[in-house]
Amino acid sequence: MLDYKTHCVTKEISRPEKRILLSYPHMSGDELKFIKEAFDSNWIAPLGPHVDAFEKETAEYAGVKAALALSCGSAAIHLGLRLLDVKAGDVVFCSTLTFIASVAPAVYQKATPVFIDSDEDTWNMSPVALQKAFDDAVKTGKMPKCVIVAELYGQPPKMDEICAICDRYGVPVLEDAAEALGASYNGKMCGSFGKVGIYSYNGNKIITTSGGGMLLSDDEEYIQKARFWATQARDSAPWYEHTEIGYNYRMSNLLAAVGRGQMLHLEERIARRREIYATYKKELSGTPGISFMPEAPKCHSIQWLTAITTAPSTGKTFMDVINYMNQQNIECRPVWKPMHLQPYFAGSKYFAHDEGENGSVSDNLFNTGICLPSASAMTEEEQGWVIKSLKECLSK
Protein backbone atom coordinates (compact mmCIF):
# COMPACT_ATOMS: atom_id res chain seq x y z
CA MET A 1 0.00 0.00 0.00
CA LEU A 2 1.31 3.41 -0.96
CA ASP A 3 2.37 5.72 1.87
CA TYR A 4 0.35 8.67 0.66
CA LYS A 5 2.01 11.22 2.94
CA THR A 6 5.38 10.44 1.41
CA HIS A 7 3.91 10.06 -2.04
CA CYS A 8 2.41 13.54 -2.08
CA VAL A 9 5.60 15.38 -1.24
CA THR A 10 8.01 13.42 -3.39
CA LYS A 11 9.17 14.96 -6.67
CA GLU A 12 9.47 11.58 -8.35
CA ILE A 13 5.82 11.15 -9.24
CA SER A 14 5.63 10.04 -12.85
CA ARG A 15 3.30 11.57 -15.43
CA PRO A 16 0.30 9.25 -15.92
CA GLU A 17 -0.24 7.67 -19.32
CA LYS A 18 -4.00 8.05 -19.01
CA ARG A 19 -5.59 11.50 -18.76
CA ILE A 20 -6.87 12.31 -15.27
CA LEU A 21 -10.50 13.27 -15.78
CA LEU A 22 -12.57 15.59 -13.62
CA SER A 23 -15.31 13.13 -12.61
CA TYR A 24 -16.22 9.83 -14.22
CA PRO A 25 -18.42 6.80 -13.43
CA HIS A 26 -17.34 4.41 -10.70
CA MET A 27 -18.91 1.01 -11.26
CA SER A 28 -18.87 -1.73 -8.61
CA GLY A 29 -20.03 -4.74 -10.61
CA ASP A 30 -23.19 -5.07 -8.51
CA GLU A 31 -25.01 -3.23 -11.29
CA LEU A 32 -24.67 -6.33 -13.47
CA LYS A 33 -26.84 -8.42 -11.14
CA PHE A 34 -29.76 -6.02 -11.53
CA ILE A 35 -29.15 -5.58 -15.27
CA LYS A 36 -29.21 -9.39 -15.69
CA GLU A 37 -32.57 -9.50 -13.91
CA ALA A 38 -33.89 -6.89 -16.36
CA PHE A 39 -32.61 -8.89 -19.34
CA ASP A 40 -33.85 -12.21 -18.00
CA SER A 41 -37.33 -10.79 -17.42
CA ASN A 42 -37.26 -8.85 -20.73
CA TRP A 43 -38.12 -5.64 -18.85
CA ILE A 44 -35.93 -3.32 -20.93
CA ALA A 45 -38.24 -0.50 -21.98
CA PRO A 46 -39.56 2.25 -19.70
CA LEU A 47 -41.46 1.06 -16.63
CA GLY A 48 -40.80 -2.18 -14.83
CA PRO A 49 -39.91 -3.56 -11.39
CA HIS A 50 -36.48 -1.90 -11.21
CA VAL A 51 -38.01 1.52 -11.91
CA ASP A 52 -40.55 0.98 -9.13
CA ALA A 53 -37.87 -0.24 -6.71
CA PHE A 54 -35.43 2.57 -7.59
CA GLU A 55 -38.13 5.16 -6.90
CA LYS A 56 -39.06 3.56 -3.58
CA GLU A 57 -35.46 3.17 -2.42
CA THR A 58 -34.56 6.75 -3.38
CA ALA A 59 -37.62 8.22 -1.65
CA GLU A 60 -36.75 6.29 1.51
CA TYR A 61 -33.12 7.45 1.34
CA ALA A 62 -34.11 11.10 0.85
CA GLY A 63 -36.79 10.96 3.53
CA VAL A 64 -39.69 11.94 1.24
CA LYS A 65 -43.00 10.23 0.55
CA ALA A 66 -42.64 9.71 -3.20
CA ALA A 67 -40.20 9.84 -6.12
CA LEU A 68 -40.42 9.55 -9.89
CA ALA A 69 -37.58 8.19 -12.05
CA LEU A 70 -37.08 10.22 -15.22
CA SER A 71 -34.85 10.50 -18.28
CA CYS A 72 -32.71 13.33 -16.85
CA GLY A 73 -32.51 15.96 -14.13
CA SER A 74 -33.68 18.66 -16.56
CA ALA A 75 -36.90 16.71 -17.14
CA ALA A 76 -37.40 16.59 -13.36
CA ILE A 77 -37.00 20.38 -13.07
CA HIS A 78 -39.36 20.90 -16.01
CA LEU A 79 -42.08 18.74 -14.46
CA GLY A 80 -41.46 20.38 -11.08
CA LEU A 81 -42.06 23.82 -12.56
CA ARG A 82 -45.21 22.63 -14.24
CA LEU A 83 -46.45 21.18 -10.94
CA LEU A 84 -45.82 24.59 -9.35
CA ASP A 85 -47.97 26.14 -12.10
CA VAL A 86 -45.16 28.17 -13.67
CA LYS A 87 -46.50 29.59 -16.93
CA ALA A 88 -45.72 32.16 -19.60
CA GLY A 89 -45.06 35.59 -18.11
CA ASP A 90 -44.37 34.30 -14.58
CA VAL A 91 -41.21 35.20 -12.69
CA VAL A 92 -38.90 32.53 -11.25
CA PHE A 93 -36.05 33.37 -8.87
CA CYS A 94 -32.98 31.23 -9.70
CA SER A 95 -29.48 30.64 -8.35
CA THR A 96 -27.09 32.36 -10.73
CA LEU A 97 -23.99 30.25 -9.99
CA THR A 98 -25.12 26.98 -11.56
CA PHE A 99 -25.29 24.98 -14.77
CA ILE A 100 -27.84 26.23 -17.30
CA ALA A 101 -29.95 23.08 -16.85
CA SER A 102 -31.14 24.59 -13.56
CA VAL A 103 -32.67 27.53 -15.40
CA ALA A 104 -33.51 26.38 -18.95
CA PRO A 105 -36.74 24.59 -17.92
CA ALA A 106 -38.10 27.95 -16.71
CA VAL A 107 -37.50 29.22 -20.25
CA TYR A 108 -39.31 26.15 -21.63
CA GLN A 109 -42.31 27.37 -19.63
CA LYS A 110 -41.82 30.89 -21.07
CA ALA A 111 -41.20 32.27 -17.57
CA THR A 112 -38.75 35.07 -16.76
CA PRO A 113 -35.71 34.10 -14.64
CA VAL A 114 -34.45 36.57 -12.05
CA PHE A 115 -30.97 35.69 -10.81
CA ILE A 116 -29.80 35.56 -7.19
CA ASP A 117 -26.16 35.83 -6.11
CA SER A 118 -24.21 33.39 -3.93
CA ASP A 119 -22.75 33.91 -0.48
CA GLU A 120 -19.11 33.27 0.43
CA ASP A 121 -19.98 30.75 3.16
CA THR A 122 -21.57 28.15 0.87
CA TRP A 123 -21.08 29.45 -2.71
CA ASN A 124 -24.83 28.85 -3.01
CA MET A 125 -27.86 31.15 -3.04
CA SER A 126 -27.39 34.10 -0.71
CA PRO A 127 -30.30 34.68 1.69
CA VAL A 128 -29.28 38.36 1.71
CA ALA A 129 -29.58 38.65 -2.07
CA LEU A 130 -32.80 36.60 -2.02
CA GLN A 131 -34.37 39.02 0.46
CA LYS A 132 -33.38 41.94 -1.81
CA ALA A 133 -35.13 40.21 -4.72
CA PHE A 134 -38.31 39.75 -2.66
CA ASP A 135 -38.18 43.37 -1.50
CA ASP A 136 -38.06 44.41 -5.14
CA ALA A 137 -40.88 42.01 -6.01
CA VAL A 138 -43.10 43.60 -3.35
CA LYS A 139 -42.39 47.06 -4.77
CA THR A 140 -43.05 46.05 -8.37
CA GLY A 141 -45.98 43.79 -7.57
CA LYS A 142 -44.37 40.92 -9.50
CA MET A 143 -43.88 38.07 -7.06
CA PRO A 144 -42.12 34.89 -8.22
CA LYS A 145 -44.05 31.67 -8.78
CA CYS A 146 -41.19 29.71 -7.22
CA VAL A 147 -37.52 29.84 -6.23
CA ILE A 148 -35.09 27.37 -7.85
CA VAL A 149 -32.26 26.75 -5.37
CA ALA A 150 -29.22 24.97 -6.85
CA GLU A 151 -26.78 23.06 -4.62
CA LEU A 152 -23.32 23.59 -6.01
CA TYR A 153 -20.70 20.82 -6.16
CA GLY A 154 -22.45 18.77 -3.45
CA GLN A 155 -22.75 21.60 -0.92
CA PRO A 156 -26.09 22.54 0.71
CA PRO A 157 -27.10 26.22 0.85
CA LYS A 158 -28.37 27.91 4.03
CA MET A 159 -31.69 26.14 3.65
CA ASP A 160 -33.22 27.25 6.95
CA GLU A 161 -32.79 30.93 6.03
CA ILE A 162 -33.84 30.46 2.41
CA CYS A 163 -36.95 28.43 3.28
CA ALA A 164 -37.92 30.92 6.00
CA ILE A 165 -37.81 33.79 3.48
CA CYS A 166 -39.81 31.86 0.90
CA ASP A 167 -42.37 30.74 3.49
CA ARG A 168 -42.85 34.36 4.59
CA TYR A 169 -44.02 35.22 1.07
CA GLY A 170 -45.83 31.95 0.40
CA VAL A 171 -43.52 31.05 -2.49
CA PRO A 172 -42.53 27.39 -2.96
CA VAL A 173 -38.95 26.14 -3.32
CA LEU A 174 -37.81 23.86 -6.13
CA GLU A 175 -34.62 22.27 -4.81
CA ASP A 176 -32.10 21.44 -7.54
CA ALA A 177 -30.00 18.82 -5.77
CA ALA A 178 -28.59 17.48 -9.05
CA GLU A 179 -25.05 17.69 -7.65
CA ALA A 180 -25.93 16.93 -4.03
CA LEU A 181 -27.39 13.43 -3.73
CA GLY A 182 -26.28 12.28 -0.27
CA ALA A 183 -25.57 15.74 1.13
CA SER A 184 -27.49 17.01 4.13
CA TYR A 185 -28.25 20.23 5.97
CA ASN A 186 -28.78 20.10 9.72
CA GLY A 187 -29.34 16.35 9.41
CA LYS A 188 -32.01 16.60 6.69
CA MET A 189 -31.22 15.21 3.24
CA CYS A 190 -30.77 17.51 0.28
CA GLY A 191 -33.62 17.02 -2.16
CA SER A 192 -36.21 16.94 0.65
CA PHE A 193 -36.46 20.65 1.52
CA GLY A 194 -38.52 22.02 -1.35
CA LYS A 195 -42.11 21.50 -2.38
CA VAL A 196 -40.34 19.47 -5.06
CA GLY A 197 -36.72 18.37 -5.33
CA ILE A 198 -34.61 16.72 -8.01
CA TYR A 199 -31.54 14.52 -8.42
CA SER A 200 -29.40 13.85 -11.50
CA TYR A 201 -27.71 10.60 -12.49
CA ASN A 202 -25.60 11.98 -15.32
CA GLY A 203 -22.33 10.14 -16.00
CA ASN A 204 -20.26 12.59 -13.95
CA LYS A 205 -22.43 12.54 -10.79
CA ILE A 206 -21.72 10.84 -7.46
CA ILE A 207 -23.66 7.82 -8.77
CA THR A 208 -24.89 7.37 -12.32
CA THR A 209 -27.43 5.55 -14.46
CA SER A 210 -25.50 6.91 -17.51
CA GLY A 211 -28.30 9.45 -17.83
CA GLY A 212 -31.36 9.98 -15.70
CA GLY A 213 -32.99 12.00 -12.97
CA MET A 214 -35.44 11.79 -10.09
CA LEU A 215 -38.30 14.04 -8.99
CA LEU A 216 -39.07 14.00 -5.26
CA SER A 217 -41.89 15.36 -3.13
CA ASP A 218 -43.82 14.82 0.09
CA ASP A 219 -46.93 15.56 -1.97
CA GLU A 220 -47.86 12.16 -3.42
CA GLU A 221 -50.50 13.72 -5.66
CA TYR A 222 -47.75 15.84 -7.25
CA ILE A 223 -45.75 12.74 -8.11
CA GLN A 224 -48.85 10.99 -9.44
CA LYS A 225 -49.59 13.98 -11.70
CA ALA A 226 -45.97 14.19 -12.86
CA ARG A 227 -46.02 10.46 -13.63
CA PHE A 228 -49.03 11.06 -15.89
CA TRP A 229 -47.30 13.92 -17.73
CA ALA A 230 -44.05 11.95 -18.05
CA THR A 231 -45.79 9.14 -19.93
CA GLN A 232 -47.25 11.33 -22.70
CA ALA A 233 -50.29 12.28 -20.56
CA ARG A 234 -52.23 9.25 -21.76
CA ASP A 235 -55.71 9.16 -20.26
CA SER A 236 -57.31 6.01 -18.90
CA ALA A 237 -59.10 4.67 -21.95
CA PRO A 238 -58.91 1.54 -24.17
CA TRP A 239 -57.52 3.74 -26.97
CA TYR A 240 -54.93 6.55 -27.00
CA GLU A 241 -56.86 9.42 -25.41
CA HIS A 242 -55.23 12.76 -24.50
CA THR A 243 -56.78 15.75 -22.76
CA GLU A 244 -53.37 17.24 -21.92
CA ILE A 245 -49.95 17.40 -23.56
CA GLY A 246 -47.28 15.34 -21.86
CA TYR A 247 -43.69 14.21 -22.46
CA ASN A 248 -41.63 11.09 -23.04
CA TYR A 249 -39.67 11.55 -19.80
CA ARG A 250 -39.64 8.14 -18.07
CA MET A 251 -36.48 6.23 -17.12
CA SER A 252 -36.03 2.77 -18.61
CA ASN A 253 -36.07 -0.34 -16.43
CA LEU A 254 -32.54 -1.09 -17.62
CA LEU A 255 -31.12 2.24 -16.41
CA ALA A 256 -33.02 1.95 -13.15
CA ALA A 257 -31.28 -1.40 -12.67
CA VAL A 258 -27.92 0.38 -12.96
CA GLY A 259 -29.09 2.98 -10.45
CA ARG A 260 -30.08 0.34 -7.90
CA GLY A 261 -26.63 -1.24 -8.14
CA GLN A 262 -25.02 2.19 -7.74
CA MET A 263 -27.16 3.08 -4.70
CA LEU A 264 -25.65 0.12 -2.83
CA HIS A 265 -22.31 1.97 -2.84
CA LEU A 266 -23.44 5.61 -2.47
CA GLU A 267 -22.05 6.03 1.06
CA GLU A 268 -18.70 4.58 -0.02
CA ARG A 269 -18.56 7.01 -2.95
CA ILE A 270 -19.34 9.95 -0.67
CA ALA A 271 -16.69 8.88 1.84
CA ARG A 272 -14.08 8.64 -0.93
CA ARG A 273 -14.93 12.08 -2.38
CA ARG A 274 -14.69 13.62 1.08
CA GLU A 275 -11.34 11.87 1.54
CA ILE A 276 -10.11 13.32 -1.77
CA TYR A 277 -11.21 16.80 -0.67
CA ALA A 278 -9.47 16.38 2.71
CA THR A 279 -6.25 15.28 1.01
CA TYR A 280 -6.27 18.24 -1.36
CA LYS A 281 -6.88 20.58 1.55
CA LYS A 282 -4.11 19.06 3.66
CA GLU A 283 -1.50 18.97 0.91
CA LEU A 284 -2.30 22.39 -0.59
CA SER A 285 -3.10 24.36 2.56
CA GLY A 286 0.41 25.75 2.68
CA THR A 287 0.37 26.89 -0.94
CA PRO A 288 0.00 30.69 -1.03
CA GLY A 289 -3.05 32.04 -2.83
CA ILE A 290 -5.23 28.91 -2.72
CA SER A 291 -8.57 28.83 -0.90
CA PHE A 292 -11.10 26.00 -0.83
CA MET A 293 -14.85 26.00 -1.19
CA PRO A 294 -15.85 25.97 2.48
CA GLU A 295 -18.10 23.50 4.23
CA ALA A 296 -20.41 25.79 6.17
CA PRO A 297 -21.93 25.08 9.60
CA LYS A 298 -24.92 22.67 9.47
CA CYS A 299 -23.76 21.53 6.01
CA HIS A 300 -22.54 18.03 5.24
CA SER A 301 -21.21 18.19 1.69
CA ILE A 302 -20.56 15.15 -0.48
CA GLN A 303 -17.65 17.12 -2.02
CA TRP A 304 -18.79 15.98 -5.45
CA LEU A 305 -16.12 18.24 -6.91
CA THR A 306 -13.28 19.82 -4.96
CA ALA A 307 -13.31 23.49 -5.93
CA ILE A 308 -10.65 26.08 -5.15
CA THR A 309 -9.99 29.74 -5.84
CA THR A 310 -6.63 31.29 -6.71
CA ALA A 311 -5.85 34.79 -5.49
CA PRO A 312 -4.43 37.48 -7.83
CA SER A 313 -1.23 37.29 -5.74
CA THR A 314 -0.41 33.99 -7.48
CA GLY A 315 0.02 35.89 -10.75
CA LYS A 316 -2.09 33.23 -12.47
CA THR A 317 -5.59 33.47 -13.86
CA PHE A 318 -7.89 30.48 -13.59
CA MET A 319 -7.32 29.81 -17.30
CA ASP A 320 -3.53 29.93 -16.81
CA VAL A 321 -3.91 27.15 -14.24
CA ILE A 322 -6.36 25.12 -16.33
CA ASN A 323 -4.13 25.35 -19.42
CA TYR A 324 -1.06 24.31 -17.46
CA MET A 325 -2.87 21.37 -15.90
CA ASN A 326 -4.11 20.32 -19.32
CA GLN A 327 -0.49 20.17 -20.48
CA GLN A 328 0.13 17.76 -17.59
CA ASN A 329 -2.69 15.49 -18.84
CA ILE A 330 -5.08 16.69 -16.12
CA GLU A 331 -8.63 17.87 -16.70
CA CYS A 332 -9.66 20.86 -14.60
CA ARG A 333 -12.59 23.17 -15.26
CA PRO A 334 -13.66 26.67 -14.32
CA VAL A 335 -16.40 27.21 -11.78
CA TRP A 336 -19.78 27.63 -13.51
CA LYS A 337 -20.13 30.91 -15.37
CA PRO A 338 -23.02 32.71 -13.63
CA MET A 339 -26.30 32.76 -15.50
CA HIS A 340 -26.61 36.55 -15.32
CA LEU A 341 -23.34 36.77 -17.32
CA GLN A 342 -24.56 34.41 -20.05
CA PRO A 343 -25.29 36.09 -23.41
CA TYR A 344 -28.74 34.54 -23.59
CA PHE A 345 -29.76 36.19 -20.31
CA ALA A 346 -28.22 39.61 -21.01
CA GLY A 347 -30.35 42.28 -19.40
CA SER A 348 -32.00 39.95 -16.90
CA LYS A 349 -32.53 41.16 -13.34
CA TYR A 350 -29.78 40.19 -10.93
CA PHE A 351 -29.47 40.74 -7.19
CA ALA A 352 -25.94 40.73 -5.77
CA HIS A 353 -25.01 39.71 -2.24
CA ASP A 354 -23.33 43.05 -1.53
CA GLU A 355 -23.45 46.49 -3.02
CA GLY A 356 -20.49 48.11 -4.75
CA GLU A 357 -17.92 47.18 -7.35
CA ASN A 358 -16.87 43.89 -5.73
CA GLY A 359 -20.29 42.97 -4.39
CA SER A 360 -21.07 40.05 -6.70
CA VAL A 361 -19.79 36.91 -5.00
CA SER A 362 -20.63 34.70 -7.99
CA ASP A 363 -18.67 36.96 -10.37
CA ASN A 364 -15.64 36.75 -8.11
CA LEU A 365 -15.91 32.97 -7.80
CA PHE A 366 -16.13 32.59 -11.57
CA ASN A 367 -13.08 34.82 -12.07
CA THR A 368 -10.95 32.78 -9.66
CA GLY A 369 -12.55 29.35 -9.32
CA ILE A 370 -11.21 25.98 -10.50
CA CYS A 371 -12.65 22.47 -10.10
CA LEU A 372 -10.06 19.74 -9.51
CA PRO A 373 -10.31 16.05 -10.49
CA SER A 374 -12.46 14.39 -7.84
CA ALA A 375 -13.65 11.03 -9.17
CA SER A 376 -14.13 8.46 -6.42
CA ALA A 377 -12.22 5.95 -8.59
CA MET A 378 -9.18 8.28 -8.84
CA THR A 379 -6.04 6.63 -7.46
CA GLU A 380 -3.69 8.08 -4.85
CA GLU A 381 -0.97 8.24 -7.51
CA GLU A 382 -3.25 10.27 -9.78
CA GLN A 383 -4.17 12.69 -7.03
CA GLY A 384 -0.50 13.01 -6.16
CA TRP A 385 0.23 14.06 -9.75
CA VAL A 386 -2.57 16.65 -9.62
CA ILE A 387 -1.21 18.12 -6.39
CA LYS A 388 2.38 18.16 -7.65
CA SER A 389 1.35 19.81 -10.93
CA LEU A 390 -0.78 22.46 -9.26
CA LYS A 391 2.05 23.39 -6.88
CA GLU A 392 4.47 23.63 -9.81
CA CYS A 393 2.07 25.82 -11.75
CA LEU A 394 1.61 28.30 -8.93
CA SER A 395 5.31 28.42 -8.09
CA LYS A 396 6.43 29.34 -11.60
Side-chain angles (χ1 to χ4, degrees):
M1 186 72 180
L2 178 68
D3 182 344
Y4 191 65
K5 282 190 195 172
T6 305
H7 177 74
C8 272
V9 298
T10 182
K11 294 185 178 180
E12 297 179 1
I13 305 171
S14 58
R15 179 189 177 96
E17 294 181 8
K18 187 172 67 173
R19 183 167 171 78
I20 302 175
L21 299 175
L22 189 75
S23 182
Y24 51 89
H26 189 173
M27 311 309 285
S28 68
D30 286 331
E31 299 85 359
L32 292 173
K33 176 183 72 174
F34 294 104
I35 291 170
K36 186 176 186 303
E37 287 179 8
F39 269 91
D40 289 346
S41 63
N42 206 33
W43 279 106
I44 303 301
L47 311 182
H50 286 306
V51 173
D52 296 341
F54 192 31
E55 291 172 345
K56 183 176 182 293
E57 290 159 4
T58 303
E60 289 174 353
Y61 180 83
V64 297
K65 291 181 180 177
L68 177 67
L70 298 165
S71 56
C72 60
S74 299
I77 294 175
H78 188 199
L79 291 177
L81 290 173
R82 193 166 169 186
L83 287 168
L84 298 176
D85 197 33
V86 173
K87 301 188 296 292
D90 287 336
V91 168
V92 176
F93 289 174
C94 308
S95 301
T96 194
L97 193 62
T98 185
F99 182 48
I100 196 168
S102 294
V103 179
V107 180
Y108 304 163
Q109 292 300 101
K110 296 181 170 54
T112 301
V114 169
F115 297 111
I116 313 299
D117 197 8
S118 301
D119 64 38
E120 292 177 338
D121 298 333
T122 66
W123 293 21
N124 283 308
M125 184 178 281
S126 159
V128 172
L130 179 62
Q131 184 61 61
K132 290 179 184 178
F134 271 110
D135 291 343
D136 180 75
V138 170
K139 289 178 185 176
T140 61
K142 194 69 175 174
M143 295 296 288
K145 265 294 182 68
C146 76
V147 178
I148 302 176
V149 181
E151 296 172 338
L152 196 70
Y153 304 137
Q155 164 93 289
K158 296 174 180 175
M159 289 305 298
D160 50 0
E161 297 179 42
I162 290 169
C163 289
I165 292 170
C166 293
D167 288 347
R168 194 180 310 140
Y169 295 96
V171 175
V173 169
L174 192 162
E175 187 185 0
D176 177 5
E179 301 175 4
L181 171 60
S184 61
Y185 181 82
N186 206 20
K188 184 176 169 67
M189 299 304 293
C190 290
S192 68
F193 284 89
K195 182 67 175 174
V196 291
I198 76 103
Y199 294 141
S200 169
Y201 304 109
N202 192 34
N204 61 0
K205 296 300 189 291
I206 189 81
I207 63 170
T208 183
T209 59
S210 80
M214 192 75 73
L215 180 69
L216 307 103
S217 181
D218 273 327
D219 190 325
E220 294 177 272
E221 289 185 6
Y222 265 28
I223 297 300
Q224 185 177 352
K225 185 65 177 180
R227 193 182 305 277
F228 170 69
W229 285 333
T231 49
Q232 296 289 16
R234 182 183 175 185
D235 294 328
S236 179
W239 49 80
Y240 291 93
E241 183 90 347
H242 302 275
T243 53
E244 295 185 65
I245 290 295
Y247 315 93
N248 184 19
Y249 275 175
R250 291 308 307 272
M251 179 184 285
S252 78
N253 196 58
L254 196 59
L255 295 191
V258 176
R260 294 189 69 200
Q262 288 270 286
M263 278 293 285
L264 295 175
H265 298 273
L266 175 57
E267 297 306 317
E268 298 167 34
R269 304 297 180 250
I270 293 169
R272 177 62 184 136
R273 299 247 182 178
R274 288 183 61 84
E275 180 183 37
I276 287 167
Y277 172 86
T279 299
Y280 276 134
K281 198 165 186 180
K282 178 181 178 183
E283 297 297 330
L284 294 169
S285 60
T287 305
I290 289 183
S291 298
F292 283 78
M293 181 180 184
E295 187 169 28
K298 300 184 184 180
C299 296
H300 183 79
S301 172
I302 61 170
Q303 305 298 351
W304 172 56
L305 293 182
T306 294
I308 63 171
T309 58
T310 55
S313 59
T314 63
K316 301 286 193 305
T317 67
F318 71 89
M319 283 309 303
D320 290 334
V321 176
I322 289 170
N323 290 335
Y324 181 86
M325 299 295 272
N326 187 54
Q327 292 167 12
Q328 309 311 310
N329 219 15
I330 299 167
E331 181 186 23
C332 295
R333 289 190 186 173
V335 166
W336 298 122
K337 182 176 182 180
M339 291 297 103
H340 72 274
L341 298 179
Q342 297 291 345
Y344 184 87
F345 295 116
S348 296
K349 271 192 175 182
Y350 168 61
F351 292 90
H353 179 76
D354 290 320
E355 304 298 333
E357 187 178 343
N358 298 315
S360 177
V361 173
S362 56
D363 286 40
N364 294 335
L365 291 172
F366 171 60
N367 289 328
T368 60
I370 302 165
C371 297
L372 303 178
S374 305
S376 54
M378 182 170 64
T379 67
E380 293 176 333
E381 290 87 347
E382 287 171 332
Q383 190 175 14
W385 179 253
V386 175
I387 292 167
K388 177 178 184 291
S389 299
L390 185 56
K391 286 181 175 180
E392 286 179 347
C393 174
L394 296 177
S395 68
K396 286 183 180 296

